[in-house]
């Protein structure tokens, strides 16, 4: 869309069962904020909205674990998240919450609209039910083996290992999170969005219509879903925490969290419009509005399949022009894990590194997982601060302001004739707004930040080549021109750094004495507009960035290691429900030997094994690839459940299960005989 009238920018609603960590920031909130700030500097009409996602099963699980109520949980984390965003400088025009009255009304109204226009399928079907807990098991109340990749702790709605979304009944060997019981099937009524009816349209709209301007990772996920064939998706759940289903027969049911959550973007916009006296509808219903969703890759299916289908079904809403989803950010070589406290929490960072918001913004942008998973390390954080922000950006600005105060008592000097070097330097400087814009508008924020730093490098090189500290004694008139040019570069940095380093930009503008009466828009960095005019007074220098010492970094590394040690303490799961001896005797467990092992293509965890179990040699697919190299386990003695019903995993039929145990470092260990000779086929009893 060329030159839209307005922009609606949404950032994925953070889930209020915990605080925000650096993975969320790198994947969603920093890039979204950069883009929103950039648009505002270009005088665009922007609505940048977000809010806390407060419904769904994980909230109820958190409440049970903490011995409190779901409302208390969401109130606690909503405040932590909202305050953290504000202190970190994320400039939402509105930050709402899905427990707000306006959201309940908007989501209920959206559901009723689709219901009344016959957009849902109403079906009574068998759903997983926990007899002991006396309740139906919504997605996150069930765990089991992922039917796609074999990960054994997949949730009922999505596998966190391979990212596949599925229904709880698709799980292999499901069990209740509440009691540990194997669930039964019980009939219940729900409403479904028939995604299969939108399959052709989605293919044409995204895969054909956006194949040149959407990210490859987004297109790839969408294509995979469509190629597998879309199925009707339930939009209601049997729960008591959430938005009640607002139609007859909906008693005891709530809207599925992934139906109500994206509607939170609309309700947040409504809330903002009410506060500011605006009309919300053009931001969601005018074809001249550009809608953009900033999300992580785990939310692609919801923002590119489910929510667009909901909007299409309703009929009056616009569709997103782009969904620039990022990949995942890891931490010190390991996947960020909230349950294991393996994370850098934003609210804790703000306490540990006061006034260093821009350092984290810089590092997360410079190392953003835009096209592939990336890794955050504290050593890299330190190096980027000391070697880039301090040594390049901060060094240039400090030299310019210190020398201006030293030579001219803080007054911008009047330049003489510009040399060819001066002219070329200024020409290069004035090119940077356009260079950075091209990257930002293609959502290449790492590239854009790199170009901003190149402008600072240009300033450093100019000063190093011209050496005003030497020429001040021999050619003071020439130094006036040099410092004038350098001050223009500093002023350009103060404007162009604002989307990326907003706190730094504000400090720099104050040092340069650029007040509110000066045009500081993105377009203002151009040859006909001079920020730093002769005889203008600037202020004294203060450090934009300070070095981070080894001790500060070691403290953070020690903190992480302490978290790892705590999470690795042996915390046995509660005993499962008692079984009879007769139930136990049904299990046929035998000793075997691995004869062959190879990785299953396009999976991270699965190995295809040939195992001699005495009675025969069979194929077993096992999720152990991240713990063992195939070549190293040939000849390994294993314990096998041989009478498990065969099941296909990634197209390979698995004829049994190898018994494993977890180790303290998160790997797997074989359960094997104690070293004495035990023949293949011997029973374990």
């Amino acid at each position: 869309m060329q030159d839209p009238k307005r922009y609606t920018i949404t950032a994925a609603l953070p889930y209020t069962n915990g605080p925000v960590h650096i993975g969320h920031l790198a994947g969603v909130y920093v890039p979204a904020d950069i883009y929103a700030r950039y648009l505002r500097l270009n005088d665009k009409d922007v609505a940048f909205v977000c809010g806390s996602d407060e419904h769904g099963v994980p909230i109820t699980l958190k409440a049970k674990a903490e011995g409190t109520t779901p409302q208390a949980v969401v109130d606690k984390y909503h405040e932590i998240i909202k305050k953290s965003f504000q202190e970190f400088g994320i400039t939402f025009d509105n930050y709402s919450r899905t427990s707000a009255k306006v959201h309940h009304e908007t989501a209920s109204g959206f559901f009723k609209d689709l219901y009344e226009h016959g957009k849902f399928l109403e079906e009574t079907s068998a759903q997983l039910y926990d007899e002991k807990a006396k309740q139906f098991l919504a997605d996150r109340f069930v765990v089991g083996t992922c039917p796609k990749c074999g990960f054994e702790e997949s949730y009922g709605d999505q596998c966190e290992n391979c990212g596949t979304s599925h229904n709880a009944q698709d799980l292999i060997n499901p069990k209740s999170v509440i009691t540990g019981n194997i669930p039964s099937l019980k009939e219940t009524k729900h409403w479904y969005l028939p995604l299969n009816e939108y399959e052709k349209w989605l293919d044409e709209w995204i895969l054909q219509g956006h194949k040149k301007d959407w990210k490859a990772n987004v297109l790839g996920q969408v294509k995979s879903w469509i190629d597998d064939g879309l199925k009707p998706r339930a939009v209601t759940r049997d729960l008591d925490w959430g938005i009640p289903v607002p139609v007859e027969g909906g008693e005891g049911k709530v809207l599925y969290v992934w139906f109500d959550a994206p509607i939170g973007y609309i309700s947040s916009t409504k809330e903002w419009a009410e506060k500011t006296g605006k009309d919300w509808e053009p931001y969601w219903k005018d074809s001249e509005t550009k809608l953009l969703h900033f999300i992580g890759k785990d939310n692609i299916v919801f923002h590119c399949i489910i929510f667009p289908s909901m909007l299409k079904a309703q009929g009056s809403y616009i569709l997103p022009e782009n969904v620039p989803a990022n990949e995942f950010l890891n931490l010190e070589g390991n996947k960020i894990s909230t349950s294991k406290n393996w994370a850098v929490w934003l609210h804790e960072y703000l306490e540990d590194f006061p006034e260093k918001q821009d350092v984290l913004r810089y590092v997360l942008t410079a190392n953003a997982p835009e096209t592939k998973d990336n890794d955050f390390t504290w050593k890299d954080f330190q190096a980027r601060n000391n070697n880039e922000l301090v040594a390049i950006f901060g060094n240039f600005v400090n030299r310019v302001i210190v020398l201006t105060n030293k030579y001219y008592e803080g007054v911008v000097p009047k330049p003489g004739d510009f040399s060819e070097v001066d002219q070329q330097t200024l020409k290069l400087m004035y090119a940077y707004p356009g260079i950075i814009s091209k990257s930002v508008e293609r959502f290449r924020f790492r590239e854009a930040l790199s170009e901003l730093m190149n402008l600072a490098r240009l300033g450093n090189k100019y000063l190093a080549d011209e050496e005003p500290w030497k020429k001040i004694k021999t050619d003071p008139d020439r130094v006036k021109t040099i410092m004038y040019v350098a001050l223009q570069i500093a002023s350009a940095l103060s404007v162009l750094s604002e989307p990326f380093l907003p706190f730094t930009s504000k400090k720099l503008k104050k040092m340069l004495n650029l007040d509110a009466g000066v045009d500081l828009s993105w377009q203002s960095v151009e040859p006909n507009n001079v920020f730093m005019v002769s005889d203008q007074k600037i202020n004294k220098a203060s450090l934009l960035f300070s070095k981070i010492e080894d001790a500060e970094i070691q403290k953070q590394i020690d903190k992480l290691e302490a978290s790892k040690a705590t999470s690795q303490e042996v915390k046995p799961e509660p005993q499962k429900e008692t079984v009879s001896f007769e139930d136990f005797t049904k299990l046929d467990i035998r000793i075997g030997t691995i004869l062959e092992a190879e990785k299953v293509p396009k999976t991270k965890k699965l190995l295809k094994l040939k195992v001699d179990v005495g009675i025969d040699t069979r194929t077993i697919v096992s999720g152990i690839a991240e713990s063992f190299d195939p070549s190293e386990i040939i000849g390994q003695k294993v314990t096998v459940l041989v009478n498990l019903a065969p099941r296909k995993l990634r197209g390979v039929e698995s004829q049994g299960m190898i018994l494993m145990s977890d180790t303290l470092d998160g790997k797997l260990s074989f359960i094997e005989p104690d070293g004495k000779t035990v023949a293949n086929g011997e029973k374990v009893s």
Side-chain angles (χ1 to χ4, degrees):
M1 181 186 297
Q2 294 295 321
D3 197 25
K5 279 189 177 181
R6 66 192 70 78
Y7 292 78
T8 301
I9 302 172
T10 75
L13 307 187
Y15 203 56
T16 47
N17 65 338
V20 169
H21 57 61
I22 58 169
H24 302 131
L25 295 173
V28 178
Y29 305 109
V30 170
D33 190 60
I34 289 171
Y35 193 73
R37 286 176 178 271
Y38 165 78
L39 290 176
R40 294 192 195 102
L41 279 173
N42 281 279
D43 300 318
K44 303 298 184 182
D45 183 357
V46 176
F48 180 24
V49 296
C50 190
S52 293
D53 182 1
E54 301 181 339
H55 298 137
V57 174
I59 299 296
T60 61
L61 291 175
K62 187 78 170 181
K64 286 183 179 182
E66 295 185 359
T68 185
T69 64
Q71 190 63 53
V73 169
V74 298
D75 287 346
K76 171 185 173 181
Y77 290 113
H78 171 73
E79 289 305 318
I80 290 174
I81 292 169
K82 185 177 181 181
K83 182 181 178 184
S84 297
F85 279 145
Q86 289 172 341
E87 293 181 2
F88 194 59
I90 303 297
T91 54
F92 297 123
D93 289 298
N94 195 64
Y95 188 80
S96 189
R97 56 193 304 188
T98 58
S99 61
K101 181 181 178 183
V102 64
H103 177 69
H104 275 243
E105 291 173 347
T106 302
S108 294
F110 200 106
F111 181 91
K112 283 195 286 188
D113 192 10
L114 297 189
Y115 175 83
E116 290 167 0
H117 286 86
K119 301 296 183 179
F120 293 135
L121 302 175
E122 184 177 314
E123 294 183 1
T124 297
S125 61
Q127 300 290 322
L128 297 179
Y129 185 81
D130 188 327
E131 298 285 353
K132 187 174 182 180
K134 303 298 182 187
Q135 71 176 76
F136 284 97
L137 298 175
D139 308 319
R140 296 281 164 137
F141 278 137
V142 189
V143 294
T145 301
C146 173
K148 190 87 170 179
C149 74
F151 181 57
E152 294 179 356
E153 293 296 322
S154 175
Y155 290 116
D157 60 341
Q158 188 175 30
C159 176
E160 291 195 340
N161 180 58
C162 68
T164 301
S165 184
H166 46 235
N167 293 313
Q169 286 171 264
D170 297 332
L171 291 175
I172 302 166
N173 303 322
K175 66 178 179 180
S176 167
V177 170
I178 304 170
T179 64
N181 279 7
I182 296 173
S184 60
L185 291 173
K186 185 175 181 179
E187 287 197 341
T188 184
K189 180 173 68 176
H190 283 293
W191 288 267
Y192 293 75
L193 184 65
L195 293 177
N196 51 301
E197 294 180 9
Y198 301 91
E199 193 172 290
K200 185 175 184 295
W201 167 74
L202 286 166
D203 184 286
E204 293 173 352
W205 169 54
I206 298 178
L207 299 183
Q208 307 306 319
H210 286 291
K211 62 183 177 182
K212 292 183 179 179
D213 61 326
W214 282 27
K215 284 186 169 186
N217 61 323
V218 177
L219 294 171
Q221 263 205 49
V222 172
K223 185 177 187 305
S224 177
W225 264 72
I226 291 176
D227 287 349
D228 283 348
L230 300 180
K231 301 173 184 176
R233 182 87 180 208
V235 296
T236 57
R237 291 292 187 268
D238 290 292
L239 280 173
D240 57 5
W241 177 250
I243 299 174
V245 174
V247 297
E248 186 178 348
E251 298 79 12
K253 304 178 191 296
V254 299
L255 301 184
Y256 176 36
V257 67
W258 272 110
F259 180 88
D260 102 72
I263 297 173
Y265 302 139
I266 301 170
S267 60
S268 186
T269 309
K270 284 185 177 181
E271 192 175 75
W272 165 73
E274 179 68 25
K275 291 175 184 175
T276 56
K278 292 178 177 285
D279 180 4
W280 72 271
E281 290 205 11
Y283 292 87
W284 280 96
K285 296 186 176 183
D286 191 322
S287 62
E288 292 187 277
T289 296
K290 188 170 185 175
L291 172 63
L292 299 142
H293 297 313
F294 283 84
I295 59 168
K297 70 176 178 182
D298 52 335
N299 288 341
I300 289 174
V301 63
F302 302 106
H303 288 77
C304 298
I305 299 286
I306 297 175
F307 190 42
S309 297
M310 290 163 54
L311 297 175
K312 179 72 172 175
Q314 201 281 337
S316 66
Y317 286 85
I318 58 174
L319 298 167
E321 284 290 313
N322 212 317
V323 184
N326 277 345
E327 299 292 293
F328 288 151
L329 185 74
N330 296 321
L331 173 59
E332 300 286 353
N334 293 309
K335 184 177 179 180
I336 291 175
S337 172
T338 57
S339 62
K340 295 180 180 178
N341 200 27
W342 187 256
V344 176
W345 306 104
L346 176 57
H347 68 293
E348 292 184 358
Y349 173 87
L350 293 168
E351 292 174 2
D352 294 345
F353 293 93
E355 298 185 11
K356 282 187 167 57
Q357 296 97 323
D358 280 353
V359 179
L360 185 58
R361 289 178 68 109
Y362 178 83
V363 173
L364 294 180
T365 305
N367 201 27
E370 291 180 346
T371 57
K372 62 182 180 64
D373 290 357
N374 258 345
D375 195 36
F376 176 95
T377 70
W378 280 112
K379 288 293 186 183
D380 179 66
F381 171 84
Q382 180 188 25
R384 287 188 183 276
N385 176 80
N386 295 352
N387 302 336
E388 297 172 22
L389 291 177
V390 174
I392 298 172
F393 196 121
N395 180 59
F396 168 69
V397 168
N398 189 61
R399 287 201 290 182
V400 171
I401 294 179
V402 166
L403 291 178
T404 302
N405 276 284
K406 180 179 179 180
Y407 298 156
Y408 313 112
E409 296 182 341
V411 176
V412 178
K414 184 176 181 179
D417 293 334
F418 291 121
S419 70
E420 185 176 341
V421 171
D422 300 334
Q423 293 173 353
Q424 183 62 23
T425 299
L426 288 171
K427 182 180 179 181
L428 288 171
M429 181 192 81
Y430 288 125
Y432 273 98
I435 293 169
I436 297 171
S437 288
K438 284 183 180 179
S439 298
V440 170
E441 288 170 8
R442 289 184 293 174
F443 310 106
R444 295 179 179 178
F445 302 112
R446 291 175 63 171
E447 185 178 87
L449 181 63
S450 178
E451 294 295 351
L452 175 71
M453 291 301 290
N454 284 339
L455 176 56
R457 288 185 177 93
L458 173 70
N460 270 321
K461 185 178 186 305
Y462 176 72
L463 284 182
D465 290 347
E466 296 305 304
E467 299 180 314
W469 44 85
K470 290 184 179 180
K471 291 177 180 171
I472 191 67
K473 296 177 182 178
T474 59
D475 192 354
D477 287 340
R478 172 64 187 148
V479 173
K480 289 180 181 179
T481 305
I482 294 170
M483 295 311 302
Y484 179 87
V485 171
L487 283 162
Q488 304 313 313
I489 297 174
S491 66
L493 280 171
S494 76
V495 173
L496 302 181
S497 65
E498 199 274 340
F500 311 93
L501 308 169
F503 296 90
T504 302
S505 171
K506 186 176 180 180
K507 288 180 189 175
L508 182 50
K509 286 170 185 170
K510 185 176 181 180
M511 280 193 271
L512 295 173
N513 201 22
L514 294 174
D515 59 37
V518 178
D519 179 11
L520 298 174
S521 68
W522 194 265
Q523 294 88 352
S524 66
V525 183
E526 55 94 20
N528 295 321
N529 182 49
V530 177
F531 292 117
M532 309 304 297
V533 296
S534 300
D535 297 328
Q536 178 179 329
K537 186 81 166 63
I538 68 170
N539 295 312
K540 297 288 184 182
S542 61
L543 291 179
L544 291 177
F545 307 100
S546 58
K547 285 191 71 174
I548 295 175
E549 302 298 334
D550 291 346
E552 296 176 81
I553 295 303
Q554 191 59 49
K555 182 180 178 182
Q556 295 300 322
I557 294 172
D558 291 344
K559 186 177 179 180
L560 277 176
E561 290 301 320
S563 297
K564 182 187 289 186
T566 301
S567 69
Q568 288 177 345
E569 290 176 3
V570 178
K571 297 176 182 177
E573 292 185 12
Q575 176 183 303
K576 294 182 179 179
E577 185 177 1
T578 301
V579 298
S580 68
F581 180 74
E582 286 72 23
D583 287 334
F584 173 73
T585 58
K586 293 177 183 177
L587 301 178
D588 190 347
I589 304 172
R590 303 194 183 218
I591 301 300
T593 301
I594 297 176
L595 304 178
E596 299 176 14
E598 61 180 278
K599 287 190 174 182
V600 176
K602 298 181 180 179
T603 69
K604 290 182 179 180
K605 289 182 172 281
L606 298 185
L607 290 184
K608 177 184 173 184
L609 310 174
K610 286 286 187 184
V611 184
D612 179 357
V613 294
I615 53 177
D616 57 34
T617 297
R618 58 182 64 189
T619 298
I620 296 177
V621 179
S622 185
I624 62 174
E626 291 186 327
S627 296
F628 303 100
D629 185 277
S631 64
E632 295 176 349
I633 59 174
I634 306 299
Q636 172 70 46
K637 285 285 187 181
V638 291
T639 307
V640 185
L641 177 61
V642 296
N643 65 334
L644 183 68
R647 186 82 183 210
K648 277 196 174 183
L649 295 172
R650 285 297 177 98
V652 182
E653 185 173 78
S654 182
Q655 301 165 315
M657 177 183 289
I658 293 178
L659 305 187
M660 308 293 295
S661 176
D662 292 320
T663 62
L664 289 179
D665 62 358
K667 301 293 185 180
L668 295 171
S669 175
F670 289 107
I671 297 174
E672 56 184 321
D674 63 3
K676 296 177 182 178
T677 302
V678 180
N680 292 338
E682 289 292 327
K683 286 189 175 182
V684 176
S685 58

